[in-house]
Amino acid sequence: MSYSPKLAAALSGATLRQLVHWRKASAGRGAVLVPEISETRPILYSFRDVVALRTCMKLRNDASLQKIRRALDTLRADLREREHLSAYQLVADGSTIYLVEPGQATDLVHRTANVVIHELIDVLRPFYRDGRHIPDLLQPRDHVTVDPAVRGGIPVIEGTRVPYDEVAALLRDGVPVERISDYFPSVTASAALDAVDFADYVDSYEPLLIP
């Protein structure tokens, strides 16, 4: 399963403009994140990419993009860590960014080690960025879930394999919510409302026109 830039943005909290910027190298530094599935049009992100993007968005609450790029350069060039960015736990405290490992944390900006961090942030949980509520990655709505093992990670109605956007499309086409079960017997009215609410949220990330 792959995610379009709009869906990747909605699930991560990044803007479409940020995704474009982060795909590019800058001033001798590597890109923040190049899409794992396709870095050329059509651009497609993986589930791991979305997890990594959420990490970057949480870091942006406490660190500048310059620090994030410096930290990633240290991670990749100095520490020679070559796994996908989603494999690492990165935490910012306002002054630096740490790579957190069992028993220690390495300062990726000032290149010191063995700094104890007592509170870690779960990248999958909801958070706020620029006043926008970024939902839980695995359950963006009460009746909408994301599971890489179900349809490759596309958001579906909880307990089913029904994609959220197919349900939302019916409601937008005028099908009454109480008639959704005629089309998808496993989808309740409340689940259908959650599907269209999530679809509205995803659509709030308008496509970015690139010349």
Side-chain angles (χ1 to χ4, degrees):
M1 174 60 197
S2 57
Y3 298 86
S4 68
K6 185 170 78 169
L7 186 53
L11 289 173
S12 68
T15 66
L16 289 167
R17 191 168 298 279
Q18 282 174 317
L19 295 187
V20 172
H21 188 53
W22 290 356
R23 290 196 295 267
K24 301 176 181 178
S26 174
R29 299 186 184 279
V32 173
L33 189 137
V34 176
E36 188 173 32
I37 295 178
S38 175
E39 59 182 283
T40 58
R41 295 185 182 182
I43 294 168
L44 297 171
Y45 291 85
S46 69
F47 179 79
R48 297 199 306 174
D49 290 338
V50 172
V51 173
L53 288 169
R54 286 177 71 96
T55 296
C56 291
M57 290 308 297
K58 287 200 169 188
L59 291 175
R60 282 293 285 119
N61 284 333
D62 295 299
S64 67
L65 181 57
Q66 182 181 17
K67 282 186 178 179
I68 293 174
R69 286 188 182 274
R70 189 184 310 159
L72 295 182
D73 285 346
T74 300
L75 182 72
R76 294 161 176 163
D78 296 357
L79 301 183
R80 301 188 182 279
E81 294 286 352
R82 303 296 186 183
E83 296 296 325
H84 190 276
L85 186 57
S86 63
Y88 303 104
Q89 187 159 26
L90 304 178
V91 176
D93 70 354
S95 63
T96 192
I97 297 172
Y98 301 98
L99 168 64
V100 180
E101 302 170 285
Q104 73 170 38
T106 302
D107 185 332
L108 296 178
V109 175
H110 304 108
R111 295 173 174 79
T112 58
N114 300 320
V115 179
V116 177
I117 293 181
H118 298 286
E119 183 178 356
L120 303 181
I121 301 173
D122 188 341
V123 73
L124 302 182
R125 301 282 75 82
F127 62 96
Y128 285 88
R129 175 66 186 167
D130 296 330
R132 183 192 286 265
H133 179 262
I134 312 305
D136 186 285
L137 176 57
L138 301 184
Q139 190 146 21
R141 292 295 184 271
D142 286 346
H143 297 92
V144 177
T145 60
V146 174
D147 183 346
V150 177
R151 297 187 72 102
I154 187 172
V156 297
I157 303 302
E158 184 176 33
T160 77
R161 296 180 59 85
V162 180
Y164 81 97
D165 52 349
E166 292 186 13
V167 176
L170 290 175
L171 291 181
R172 288 172 169 177
D173 284 344
V175 175
V177 67
E178 62 273 11
R179 297 290 304 276
I180 287 296
S181 59
D182 293 349
Y183 298 85
F184 297 109
S186 58
V187 178
T188 64
S190 57
L193 291 174
D194 271 358
V196 76
D197 181 63
F198 181 62
D200 289 343
Y201 164 74
V202 172
D203 287 345
S204 72
Y205 287 79
E206 292 296 333
L208 182 66
L209 298 178
I210 303 175

